[in-house]
Amino acid sequence: MRPIFDFLRKPFAIFCLVLTACATEPVGRKDLLTFLNDGVSRREEVFLKLGEPSAQYEGSRILAYRLRKDAGGHILVGRRDNWAGVHYNLMLVFDADGVLIRHSVVEVRSP
């Protein structure tokens, strides 16, 4: 005689396998910020690659992006997402012509 829930064994195993694969796979990118070069990168390029910043200061002269980090690298956090898991801010400062003067990744919360 077969147990009543025998028909659920295979779907449950597949579900667990998929859930485990999703939970353990790093989604960060080591190359996410490599395009940033002080004195070279332009504001337009940053907007195209990173999208809308989480904050803008001094008439868009200073941009801030929220970041997470995992084994794969940095993960950009959307401005509408909450601060859960955010440990860094990417700060970008541009001159009047829109050229990147300096950038830094600032720890805002210990991982």
Side-chain angles (χ1 to χ4, degrees):
M1 191 160 134
R2 297 177 70 185
I4 297 173
F5 296 105
D6 216 20
F7 68 95
L8 291 176
R9 187 175 297 167
K10 189 174 182 179
F12 182 72
I14 292 171
F15 171 76
C16 289
L17 182 65
V18 169
L19 184 63
T20 303
C22 292
T24 59
E25 185 67 30
V27 295
R29 292 182 32 213
K30 291 189 187 316
D31 66 343
L32 181 66
L33 307 178
T34 57
F35 75 96
L36 294 171
N37 293 303
D38 296 350
V40 177
S41 298
R42 301 195 53 79
R43 184 183 299 117
E44 295 81 16
E45 179 185 12
V46 171
F47 273 103
L48 286 173
K49 297 214 181 210
L50 300 180
E52 190 174 350
S54 57
Q56 300 181 45
Y57 306 98
E58 297 183 20
S60 297
R61 196 177 81 76
I62 300 173
L63 304 179
Y65 289 88
R66 293 186 280 180
L67 300 172
R68 289 186 201 135
K69 195 171 186 181
D70 68 8
H74 288 101
I75 304 164
L76 196 59
V77 178
R79 69 179 282 175
R80 288 178 177 78
D81 295 337
N82 63 30
W83 281 86
V86 174
H87 297 113
Y88 305 95
N89 256 349
L90 169 64
M91 302 301 297
L92 305 166
V93 181
F94 296 90
D95 66 13
D97 296 323
V99 176
L100 184 64
I101 298 171
R102 68 180 170 273
H103 71 284
S104 61
V105 176
V106 180
E107 187 175 319
V108 293
R109 197 180 311 163
S110 296

